[in-house]
Amino acid sequence: MRLTLLALLLSTACALPAVTPDAAAQPKGQEKPNEKGKPNRLAKESSPYLLQHAHNPVDWHPWGPEAFERAKTEKKLIFLSIGYSACHWCHVMERESFSRADVAKILNANFVCIKVDREERPDVDDIYMTALNTTGEQGGWPLNMFLTPDGKPIFGATYFPPDDRKIGDDTIPGFKTVLNKVIEFDKDRADLEKQAARVAKATVEALDANSRAIALVPLKRDLVSDGLDAFDIDPEHGGTGSKKRDYKGTKFPRPPVWGFVLTQTKKPGNERLAKLAHNTLAKMLEGGIYDHLGGGFHRYSTERTWTVPHFEKMLYDNAQLVELYSEAYALAPRPEYKRVVAETLEFVRREMTAPEKGFYSALDADSNDKEGEFYVWTADEVAKVLGTDADTALVKAVYGVTAPNFEDKFHILRLPKPLAEVAKELKLTEDALLTKLEPLKKKLFDHRAKRERPFLDTKVITAWNGQMIAGYARAGGVFKEPAYVRAAADAADFLLTKLRDKDGRLYRMYAAAPGGKPAPKGAAFLDDYAYLIHGLLNLHDATGEPKWLDAAKGLTDLVVKHYADPVNGGFYFTAADGEKLFARAKDSYDGVQPSGNSQMARNLLRLGDKTKDDGYRDRGIRTVKAFSFALRTAPTSMPLMLRTLDELLDAAGEPGKPAPKEEPKAKKPRKSEDVVTGKLTLEPAKGGVREFAVALTVEAPWHVYANPAGADTLAESRTEVTVYVGGKKVDAKIEYPKGKEIADKVVGTYAIYEGATTIKGRFPAGEGEIEVRVSINACKDGVCLPPSTLKLK
């Protein structure tokens, strides 16, 4: 009951970000935050996000064994807070709560506090975000979780206000109230540990869902067509959403979706789809989500029309959108696509490129603690900067400076009409209009540059740099621009030289602690390899130089060695020899960035095609197969995997390229019971007990998992026998034979039954029909059928 009440308390608090607080306002009775206190443990870190908390009175620890050892020694719960440097709500909570002495006093006395930069440790973020979602909460950042001393999640939420807040007739609990409730509940630690065990189990199951639910879904064209039909595209403003909700709500650019959709527009009968796709690309570049003065895209739109963004500028968004608009131009050479690529790459060159030729991570949303202040305008300010009535009228007409569209007093520049349409109304060519606008835009840009600039996160992340290399290289190839290709090559040389260890394995990032020099740091994750390989393959496309293909092959071989799942196919997010958390994720969601598995599947097929090595191609096919069930049941979650499947099917139809091998349709098994049979033998009752034997026959080359299975991750897949008498389950003693042991470097040693196996048991004799049920999960070569239950009588 107490946990239920706390969950209710937390879920109420989670809803607050929808009600935007005035970050500058201090609620009555709230203490003013410290301007800058003594440095804490985070002061020696290289992460800009952690350094933003380095002078909090909170006794923060970075993620690591020291924090967990202290929690165990002092028998304290852990308060884990995860965010990133450009996160607006992270800044709000840092100012409102973590800078306050009264809040810090509660935290320091009762918890071991850990701060994590999600961009440095996406594995930690993914696991605890999944944990939050399993409790029914919607995730976001900052992600705040309470953990047991061994790191298991109890419960959590996103943003908390510092104090209780009255909204209408409701009182929203503040952070101090939540902390005090947790302290009260911690008096019964055993109860909390039971809750943590349940959440941890649910988290592992959620992370393993794709691995456990593998089915032999045929890799056929209908997976692609059905997947395409599942996307609900806003016909007016573009983007995806829900027609039932009139497409209201936030909209992310989500390049993996539009990369897939664009490939489908080339196919006969998809003329309407082409209009929807190009309308989306047009609305994004016309909206306030695009920076019309400085180039580059903000992170996402807070509403349907792409007008009001969250103002962060992330490298990964701009990298992918450069590649997307370049591909769109190759299909439909619209001048606005070329212009937006050129302006965005100029922004990246000017503001996001490190001296070493790598690329910085992000620009903050805030200036002077106010979101978007750097980018927005008043009408009077525009007029004052431009000077003349004619120039002011032109800019106001082109960029929609009429009624305020941000906080009721500011203007976010946008294009209410396409430039071509405005030019026609003014009886100008589009080029002539752009020429006329150029000096006016520069006046506004130069004036804007004098404002306090958003914070620049200068860490260089391998994965995101791989995506920027891919964008530069694709743009260079499409627009025949050597400077773009050269920028991609310079960045690739930097990463391959500075961000690899003596064994050729990648580091996650390149960053500097205060006063220090930048250095490589942290073990790489799957996406670091996957995105960089993608960039190298694009570079090879653009240049034909063998060194880029050789580098892609070398990194791919490392991925197979350290990240592959040899049992179920696909790849884990962390290396087999990496830090062991309570769960190991296998990412499959193509969100604003593609999953490592989708990207690797496509990489492998491209590499196989370039090298004529069937080993790469076969592993790519196997990776697609590993997620075929998700493609059938949740296709909108994996648009890049859909694109990969489509490219695979297209290639299979070309001469000399065999289609993926499939078993004859008539013999294709659909469930585990199709390849496993069982025969029940019952002995007469003796002394009130009946003995039985179940003879299982598993068709080659299939197997089922023994009981016990050996590896913890296979516990729920083991073969299990239950006995029913008269329709009621009875207490039976089952003697499972020892299975054949399989040694695996990743999963560990596990046991299977194959061929003929006999399971014996005994149960109390009783009246009624006897039924023995055998739960089975049949697998072979990393592919598993849906589980079945044999009912034997």
Side-chain angles (χ1 to χ4, degrees):
M1 173 61 74
R2 300 198 307 167
L3 287 174
T4 302
L5 290 173
L6 183 59
L8 179 61
L9 173 70
L10 294 176
S11 65
T12 309
C14 281
L16 270 176
V19 184
T20 306
D22 182 352
Q26 297 287 340
K28 187 176 180 181
Q30 178 176 316
E31 300 174 12
K32 290 186 177 181
N34 296 335
E35 289 299 318
K36 191 169 185 180
K38 294 180 180 179
N40 55 43
R41 290 177 181 82
L42 303 185
K44 296 180 181 179
E45 294 295 308
S46 61
S47 159
Y49 175 65
L50 298 189
L51 290 170
Q52 288 167 0
H53 297 76
H55 293 273
N56 292 161
V58 177
D59 186 15
W60 291 115
H61 290 71
W63 180 275
E66 178 187 340
F68 288 93
E69 285 302 318
R70 181 181 169 193
K72 291 172 185 174
T73 301
E74 298 181 10
K75 299 181 179 178
K76 289 182 177 178
L77 296 181
I78 290 169
F79 172 68
L80 172 67
S81 186
I82 303 174
Y84 58 101
S85 69
C87 165
H88 170 69
W89 285 100
C90 301
H91 300 330
V92 173
M93 196 161 178
E94 189 276 330
R95 291 193 301 269
E96 289 183 340
S97 292
F98 299 142
S99 294
R100 286 177 52 173
D102 57 338
V103 173
K105 184 177 180 181
I106 300 172
L107 284 168
N108 295 342
N110 299 281
F111 303 91
V112 172
C113 302
I114 300 177
K115 257 291 169 193
V116 168
D117 183 340
R118 68 178 293 261
E119 295 167 356
E120 284 194 347
R121 293 301 302 265
D123 56 331
V124 174
D125 177 63
D126 184 33
I127 284 172
Y128 288 105
M129 185 65 75
T130 303
L132 180 69
N133 293 337
T134 65
T135 66
E137 300 297 337
Q138 185 175 355
W141 295 278
L143 170 59
N144 298 300
M145 295 289 293
F146 296 94
L147 317 179
T148 61
D150 60 356
K152 289 182 180 176
I154 306 170
F155 38 70
T158 54
Y159 164 79
F160 294 107
D163 299 290
D164 294 354
R165 190 169 291 174
K166 193 82 173 175
I167 297 180
D169 295 330
D170 297 325
T171 298
I172 306 300
F175 189 38
K176 289 194 295 183
T177 297
V178 171
L179 291 175
N180 285 321
K181 281 289 184 183
V182 175
I183 293 165
E184 179 186 336
F185 295 141
D186 192 28
K187 292 175 183 176
D188 187 354
R189 176 67 62 84
D191 203 11
L192 292 184
E193 288 178 344
K194 288 178 183 177
Q195 166 80 354
R198 288 193 294 270
V199 177
K201 184 174 183 290
T203 303
V204 170
E205 290 173 348
L207 291 170
D208 287 351
N210 280 317
S211 299
R212 291 180 178 172
I214 294 170
L216 279 183
V217 177
L219 299 184
K220 296 284 185 70
R221 188 69 65 181
D222 69 319
L223 277 180
V224 178
S225 57
D226 290 351
L228 183 63
D229 291 343
F231 289 98
D232 193 349
I233 300 175
D234 183 342
E236 183 178 355
H237 296 286
T240 57
S242 170
K243 184 177 181 180
K244 292 179 180 178
R245 298 183 62 247
D246 294 324
Y247 302 100
K248 293 178 181 177
T250 57
K251 282 184 178 176
F252 287 81
R254 212 176 161 199
V257 171
W258 302 105
F260 165 59
V261 171
L262 277 178
T263 63
Q264 302 308 296
T265 64
K266 300 181 292 185
K267 302 193 173 182
N270 281 345
E271 290 77 13
R272 181 177 179 275
L273 181 67
K275 288 182 180 179
L276 291 171
H278 289 290
N279 181 58
T280 293
L281 297 183
K283 293 300 183 183
M284 289 197 301
L285 68 85
E286 291 165 5
I289 192 174
Y290 182 68
D291 181 356
H292 293 274
L293 296 181
F297 288 84
H298 299 296
R299 185 160 170 254
Y300 66 92
S301 175
T302 62
E303 41 68 58
R304 180 185 180 187
T305 68
W306 305 101
T307 298
V308 182
H310 259 304
F311 289 90
E312 306 101 301
K313 282 185 175 180
M314 311 301 294
L315 181 67
Y316 58 75
D317 285 321
N318 286 284
Q320 293 178 94
L321 287 166
V322 162
E323 185 172 10
L324 178 67
Y325 278 99
S326 298
E327 292 181 342
Y329 184 87
L331 292 173
R334 301 184 178 188
E336 62 268 31
Y337 293 171
K338 184 176 183 179
R339 175 173 56 83
V340 83
V341 168
E343 290 176 353
T344 299
L345 288 178
E346 172 57 22
F347 154 69
V348 171
R349 184 203 64 78
R350 183 182 67 241
E351 299 187 40
M352 302 292 284
T353 304
E356 299 93 336
K357 304 301 183 184
F359 305 107
Y360 298 138
S361 296
L363 274 171
D364 209 328
D366 297 7
S367 299
N368 290 317
D369 296 339
K370 295 176 184 176
E371 185 179 17
E373 183 181 77
F374 183 76
Y375 299 100
V376 299
W377 299 83
T378 64
D380 288 344
E381 190 180 14
V382 170
K384 184 177 180 181
V385 171
L386 295 177
T388 70
D389 290 345
D391 289 346
T392 300
L394 177 63
V395 167
K396 285 185 175 181
V398 171
Y399 293 109
V401 183
T402 51
N405 54 22
F406 185 65
E407 295 182 350
D408 298 324
K409 55 184 176 180
F410 295 111
H411 297 268
I412 299 168
L413 301 187
R414 62 188 181 92
L415 295 175
K417 299 177 182 178
L419 280 177
E421 194 173 318
V422 177
K424 188 176 181 181
E425 291 174 357
L426 296 174
K427 299 181 180 179
L428 296 169
T429 65
E430 189 173 346
D431 285 343
L433 176 59
L434 285 168
T435 300
K436 200 169 184 178
L437 285 170
E438 201 58 39
L440 308 183
K441 288 172 62 179
K442 187 174 188 306
K443 281 186 178 182
L444 293 171
F445 177 82
D446 289 344
H447 179 81
R448 189 179 81 173
K450 297 173 185 176
R451 299 171 179 171
E452 179 164 330
R453 299 187 64 79
F455 175 78
L456 174 65
D457 185 336
T458 57
K459 67 177 179 289
V460 174
I461 296 176
T462 300
W464 303 2
N465 272 248
Q467 291 180 308
M468 195 69 247
I469 290 167
Y472 258 121
R474 180 67 74 226
V478 169
F479 299 109
K480 310 301 180 188
E481 178 51 70
Y484 295 166
V485 179
R486 191 160 54 249
D490 287 345
D493 279 330
F494 166 69
L495 291 178
L496 294 172
T497 302
K498 296 289 188 180
L499 275 88
R500 287 199 293 184
D501 66 15
K502 59 182 177 58
D503 298 318
R505 297 176 71 174
L506 293 173
Y507 290 100
R508 169 67 176 175
M509 73 198 82
Y510 187 76
K517 293 182 178 180
K521 178 182 177 183
F525 302 100
L526 176 63
D527 62 354
D528 293 300
Y529 285 91
Y531 299 165
L532 179 53
I533 292 166
H534 172 55
L536 293 170
L537 293 174
N538 278 12
L539 252 178
H540 184 255
D541 286 343
T543 66
E545 294 180 18
K547 73 172 186 176
W548 305 124
L549 184 59
D550 291 342
K553 286 170 57 181
L555 293 178
T556 299
D557 293 342
L558 288 171
V559 173
V560 172
K561 180 178 179 181
H562 297 289
Y563 296 82
D565 178 353
V567 176
N568 294 315
F571 301 91
Y572 290 104
F573 191 70
T574 54
D577 57 356
E579 181 183 351
K580 300 296 186 289
L581 304 177
F582 77 87
R584 191 180 182 203
K586 186 189 288 186
D587 66 326
S588 61
Y589 179 64
D590 301 334
V592 293
Q593 292 177 280
S595 69
N597 275 287
S598 292
Q599 190 67 73
M600 277 308 303
R602 188 162 186 254
N603 291 345
L604 285 160
L605 294 176
R606 291 177 70 191
L607 200 54
D609 182 61
K610 285 174 175 288
T611 63
K612 309 306 178 188
D613 185 336
D614 285 344
Y616 291 125
R617 183 171 177 274
D618 290 346
R619 189 172 286 275
I621 293 171
R622 186 180 174 200
T623 303
V624 178
K625 281 185 175 180
F627 294 93
S628 60
F629 188 74
L631 292 179
R632 172 62 71 201
T633 58
T636 60
S637 71
M638 301 192 77
L640 182 59
M641 193 68 86
L642 285 171
R643 178 179 181 175
T644 302
L645 172 59
D646 184 59
E647 292 170 348
L648 169 63
L649 294 171
D650 284 348
E654 295 175 4
K657 291 191 177 182
K661 295 178 181 178
E662 295 183 2
E663 297 171 14
K665 187 172 182 180
K667 296 182 179 179
K668 182 176 286 297
R670 312 296 296 185
K671 295 180 288 186
S672 291
E673 65 192 57
D674 294 335
V675 297
V676 182
T677 57
K679 181 179 180 182
L680 174 64
T681 302
L682 279 170
E683 299 295 333
K686 187 176 180 180
V689 173
R690 295 198 71 171
E691 295 185 350
F692 71 92
V694 171
L696 288 182
T697 302
V698 184
E699 290 183 15
W702 299 90
H703 64 262
V704 296
Y705 293 103
N707 191 338
D712 292 341
T713 56
L714 300 174
E716 294 188 7
S717 299
R718 67 190 178 188
T719 301
E720 196 150 9
V721 175
T722 50
V723 179
Y724 290 77
V725 178
K728 294 182 179 179
K729 183 179 176 182
V730 298
D731 185 16
K733 303 295 182 183
I734 312 297
E735 299 174 9
Y736 295 98
K738 185 178 180 181
K740 176 183 176 181
E741 289 193 349
I742 305 293
D744 184 86
K745 291 181 180 179
V746 177
V747 178
T749 300
Y750 62 95
I752 64 170
Y753 300 143
E754 58 184 2
T757 300
T758 301
I759 302 172
K760 297 180 179 181
R762 52 194 297 178
F763 59 92
E767 296 296 327
E769 184 180 46
I770 297 169
E771 180 179 88
V772 176
R773 300 180 185 177
V774 187
S775 300
I776 51 172
N777 194 183
C779 301
K780 69 164 187 176
D781 298 330
V783 177
C784 293
L785 296 170
S788 298
T789 299
L790 304 178
K791 297 180 179 180
L792 309 177
K793 298 179 181 178

